[in-house]
Amino acid sequence: MKLVTYSYKDQDKIGALRDGAIVDLTSIAPTMLKLIEMGPEALIQARNIVESAAESLPLDSVKLKAPIPNPRRNVMCLGLNYAEHAQEHYASSGKKTELPDFPIVFTKATTTVNGPYDDIPYDPGVTAELDWEVELAVIIGRTGKNISPNQAMDYVFGYAVLNDVSARELQRQHKQFFKGKSLDGACPLGPWIVTVDELPDPHHLQVTSRVNGEVKQDSNTSLMIFNVPAIIDHLSRGMTLLPGDIVATGTPSGVGFARQPPEFLQAGDVVECEVEGIGTIKNRVALT
Ligand code: MG
């Protein structure tokens, strides 16, 4: 299923796509987070409703929101999880490439989460180096700790497209990534969650970003250094993962700061991020 959070007549609801329209699932749970927490039973109910519902809403009659608009805690992110991105990262400061032996983990504040087609706020008084990062996002489906790689996929609820929008000079100035990764609206997410039954193999998906229609990143999740089971294994060691946790799996090469010359987002730019088998999110950069 493709599960959405949407706003219709000023009310937030959840639903599933059916033939390009939305079937309301709010009778099962008021929010996506609640639906995920309810476990497999809720998904069976959802499938039944999708199959039998008489009514649906055209997709263009609603406003899609991030599928999990208010996560309970920070978005967990992998850094330098594609070798070519690690190379461009180190090359940009004249350093020798070091591939990580362990996943580099940082987080983005919950207030970064933004809709799949909403504006990315841009305040030139705060940053002059706003950058794009297309990523596959993993949505965790159930509580778990010390999850072994061979069990890890049982903990995945589904996948979405994520743009890990980054303010590069803030990332450098504040040493830890958190501040530069956590500007309001800096995490467009969506357009929906594709449940794991519809996308059993997350490791052969093309990952692409475009700015104003020009391709900037074009890679494949097969090139991730730490794949989804390895990421879940590492993250869950001694740290409980919760249903609805959002994990961004890292971005491939082609980001703005590492380009020659560097490129950064400007007001009016339109960023599209696409992951094969999921869809495309599209966000305009807007002065705030
Ligand atoms: Mg990233």
Side-chain angles (χ1 to χ4, degrees):
M1 278 184 296
K2 293 188 173 72
L3 299 172
V4 293
T5 295
Y6 65 101
S7 167
Y8 182 68
K9 293 184 176 170
D10 290 330
Q11 278 195 309
D12 283 358
K13 294 170 173 284
I14 60 169
L17 291 197
R18 184 181 70 188
D19 303 328
I22 293 174
V23 175
D24 186 13
L25 297 177
T26 314
S27 62
I28 305 175
T31 64
M32 189 73 73
L33 209 44
K34 280 272 180 256
L35 183 85
I36 298 170
E37 281 173 357
M38 287 168 70
E41 270 301 311
L43 282 186
I44 293 168
Q45 284 182 53
R47 276 191 198 94
N48 289 338
I49 291 176
V50 169
E51 279 168 21
S52 62
E55 288 178 21
S56 63
L57 284 169
L59 198 49
D60 60 9
S61 69
V62 309
K63 178 182 159 53
L64 286 191
K65 305 187 70 164
I68 303 175
N70 301 297
R72 82 174 96 217
R73 57 181 180 173
N74 286 6
V75 178
M76 292 175 241
C77 305
L78 273 275
L80 306 184
N81 197 29
Y82 288 77
E84 285 185 358
H85 176 57
Q87 281 157 8
E88 69 175 2
H89 167 85
Y90 287 106
S92 70
S93 52
K95 294 192 183 119
K96 191 168 152 281
T97 300
E98 287 175 53
L99 296 184
D101 295 322
F102 290 87
I104 296 168
V105 181
F106 61 92
T107 71
K108 293 171 82 74
T110 57
T111 40
T112 59
V113 173
N114 200 349
Y117 312 121
D118 288 342
D119 289 347
I120 298 167
Y122 174 43
D123 181 348
V126 172
T127 178
E129 299 191 1
L130 205 61
D131 205 346
W132 57 85
E133 293 192 356
V134 60
E135 308 198 10
L136 169 72
V138 176
I139 312 299
I140 299 296
R142 58 194 182 102
T143 302
K145 185 174 173 180
N146 300 326
I147 303 163
S148 69
N150 61 12
Q151 293 174 315
M153 296 307 283
D154 295 343
Y155 289 79
V156 176
F157 180 80
Y159 304 97
V161 183
L162 184 149
N163 186 354
D164 175 15
V165 176
S166 307
R168 297 303 183 190
E169 77 276 66
L170 299 184
Q171 227 182 306
R172 287 192 305 274
Q173 288 161 3
H174 296 277
K175 306 301 177 198
Q176 297 211 356
F177 290 1
F178 177 63
K179 171 76 189 181
K181 294 285 192 175
S182 289
L183 299 185
D184 290 353
C187 189
L189 179 71
W192 32 70
I193 297 172
V194 178
T195 52
V196 72
D197 55 299
E198 248 184 57
L199 199 56
D201 177 9
H203 298 120
H204 293 88
L205 307 175
Q206 206 65 19
V207 178
T208 311
S209 70
R210 292 176 289 275
V211 178
N212 303 326
E214 189 178 319
V215 174
K216 299 296 184 185
Q217 297 176 279
D218 191 20
S219 186
N220 194 282
T221 55
S222 62
L223 298 172
M224 291 196 295
I225 296 171
F226 298 99
N227 67 11
V228 174
I231 292 169
I232 290 173
D233 164 26
H234 281 283
L235 280 179
S236 71
R237 291 182 193 181
M239 184 181 91
T240 303
L241 295 182
L242 301 172
D245 277 349
I246 302 165
V247 180
T249 57
T251 202
S253 62
V255 297
F257 83 87
R259 304 183 81 87
Q260 297 295 337
E263 297 170 21
F264 297 107
L265 294 169
Q266 307 298 328
D269 285 349
V270 175
V271 190
E272 291 168 273
C273 293
E274 180 172 3
V275 178
E276 182 184 2
I278 303 173
T280 303
I281 59 176
K282 183 174 182 175
N283 305 85
R284 197 175 64 99
V285 178
L287 289 177
T288 183

